[in-house]
Amino acid sequence: MPIAAARVYAEGHRLRHLRLHEPEDRVVQANQFAWIGLVDPTADELGILQERFNLHPLIVEDVLCEHPLPKVSVYGDQVFVAARTARLDGEEIVYGETCIFLCRNTVITIRKGSERAYTEVRRHLEGAPALLNHGIAYVLYSVLDFIVDSYQPIVEAIEEDVLEMEGRALDAFLSREDVTHIFNLRQSLVRFRRVLGPMEEVCARLEHLHLPFMDPMVRPYFRDVGDHVRRVSSAIEQLRDVLSSVFEVANLFESQRQGVITRQLAAWAGILAVPTAVAGIYGMNFENLPELHWKYGYYYVLGFVAVTCLVLFFTFKRAKWL
């Protein structure tokens, strides 16, 4: 069985390791509780836990299923919680899952598809006996708080990326890769926001859950986790708005650039229309063109074309078309 840790605690202190492979290992007493951490267990391994700790069959079935969204289920005096873990890989948010179930004096945490272990949480609680003395409900809170705290660095990393992209949009035109990146980030944020809503509901339900092992002193802590979830959700909404504004600004600048190019082309077309028209007139090969017999006619025409083109050039320049 892939056991990360299995220990027994009493009055906030660690007593001993729990040997799950040995059926003759001592039973956890009423004034004690066990915290078992597993990584990607199989159905047979979960069956061993079910038999030893008398777990509800539906809880084991829940663990074997994949939960796209966080959830909390109560089966008599046992509670099952599924939470989604997340980490940023490039521009993609990769999700994992942590299942937690509580029964009487036992809390079992199961990591599935998540690389981030809960060793830090266990070490922190074992170093704070007053907190660990609150029992398995506080362990549940600590794990959920650890999961939710990992959301904030994801948002901060995306925020830095968005701010950098916003600066590029103001200094230069966004490339096709930048536009694709914007849409990928928006999709990632939409999926992330879809996870946060149910997570907030999980915390609200745990706050009002009345079971013997749910210490009333711990319930407000779940509200604190819910507040963290709401802050992350609010930050995601702001990022989505900023991404939309970056895209709109890029479109505005692109339209402005096209307008400038169109005006420049129109201005040069107007300037070149004068020599084109003059050359067209004298290129019609009529025999009766009096100007052809003028001694200085050629220079007059060139002077007229040059002066007209200069007047048009400065006129368009003053109008900021050139």
Side-chain angles (χ1 to χ4, degrees):
M1 185 180 300
I3 303 172
R7 298 168 186 172
V8 179
Y9 301 89
E11 297 181 355
H13 297 279
R14 184 177 67 190
L15 294 182
R16 60 185 175 88
H17 289 277
L18 188 63
R19 294 183 289 273
L20 298 177
H21 293 288
E22 301 178 9
E24 67 277 5
D25 190 23
R26 298 191 304 277
V27 178
V28 180
Q29 302 300 320
N31 62 334
Q32 304 171 353
F33 76 88
W35 179 3
I36 303 168
L38 305 178
V39 181
D40 295 318
T42 64
D44 293 337
E45 292 166 344
L46 289 174
I48 297 174
L49 289 179
Q50 180 183 4
E51 182 178 353
R52 179 160 184 175
F53 296 100
N54 195 26
L55 300 178
H56 196 285
L58 292 179
I59 287 184
V60 177
E61 184 180 329
D62 258 337
V63 174
L64 295 174
C65 296
E66 183 177 354
H67 306 89
L69 298 176
K71 61 171 287 188
V72 57
S73 302
V74 179
Y75 302 99
D77 62 346
Q78 301 179 11
V79 177
F80 172 82
V81 178
R84 299 290 285 176
T85 60
R87 63 182 177 86
L88 193 62
D89 184 9
E91 63 181 45
E92 182 183 2
I93 300 177
V94 180
Y95 297 96
E97 183 179 351
T98 293
C99 297
I100 312 165
F101 41 91
L102 299 84
C103 55
R104 294 186 301 278
N105 57 352
T106 303
V107 55
I108 303 174
T109 57
I110 298 177
R111 288 190 292 122
K112 299 194 298 181
S114 175
E115 299 177 355
R116 197 176 184 210
Y118 300 117
T119 307
E120 180 181 340
V121 179
R122 190 183 293 268
R123 186 184 304 116
H124 169 71
L125 291 180
E126 290 180 352
L131 299 178
L132 195 57
N133 195 36
H134 287 298
I136 59 177
Y138 197 87
V139 173
L140 172 62
Y141 152 73
S142 300
V143 172
L144 292 179
D145 187 57
F146 185 74
I147 292 173
V148 172
D149 284 347
S150 68
Y151 295 163
Q152 189 63 39
I154 297 175
V155 176
E156 291 175 355
I158 295 178
E159 184 177 18
E160 289 298 323
D161 194 6
V162 170
L163 291 177
E164 181 182 347
M165 193 178 303
E166 189 177 28
R168 288 204 304 272
L170 295 176
D171 296 336
F173 303 109
L174 294 181
S175 64
R176 181 181 180 86
E177 289 75 17
D178 289 330
V179 174
T180 302
H181 188 43
I182 289 176
F183 277 97
N184 289 338
L185 285 178
R186 281 179 58 86
Q187 290 177 354
S188 297
L189 291 175
V190 168
R191 295 191 188 98
F192 199 14
R193 180 67 181 83
R194 198 179 300 155
V195 169
L196 295 179
M199 190 65 180
E200 186 177 342
E201 296 173 4
V202 166
C203 296
R205 187 173 181 188
L206 290 173
E207 180 187 354
H208 300 94
L209 197 61
H210 295 275
L211 287 173
F213 53 76
M214 295 294 289
D215 188 339
M217 297 291 293
V218 179
R219 292 199 189 102
Y221 289 95
F222 293 111
R223 187 188 317 138
D224 178 67
V225 178
D227 290 340
H228 290 176
V229 174
R230 281 188 289 273
R231 283 198 291 272
V232 174
S233 180
S234 176
I236 287 176
E237 289 299 322
Q238 294 176 5
L239 282 177
R240 290 177 58 191
D241 292 340
V242 172
L243 282 173
S244 298
S245 66
V246 169
F247 190 69
E248 291 172 0
V249 168
N251 280 338
L252 179 62
F253 283 174
E254 182 65 22
S255 299
Q256 184 182 19
R257 183 177 72 92
Q258 292 178 357
V260 170
I261 293 175
T262 301
R263 288 195 299 270
Q264 289 176 344
L265 292 175
W268 284 113
I271 294 172
L272 294 176
V274 175
T276 301
V278 172
I281 291 173
Y282 287 99
M284 291 186 292
N285 296 322
F286 289 125
E287 293 183 1
N288 189 16
L289 286 175
E291 298 86 352
L292 296 177
H293 303 288
W294 293 356
K295 182 177 180 179
Y296 299 105
Y298 174 72
Y299 301 103
Y300 291 152
V301 172
L302 288 182
F304 170 77
V305 170
V307 170
T308 305
C309 288
L310 286 174
V311 170
L312 288 175
F313 176 81
F314 286 110
T315 301
F316 288 132
K317 193 77 171 177
R318 197 161 39 246
K320 296 183 179 180
W321 281 38
L322 291 174

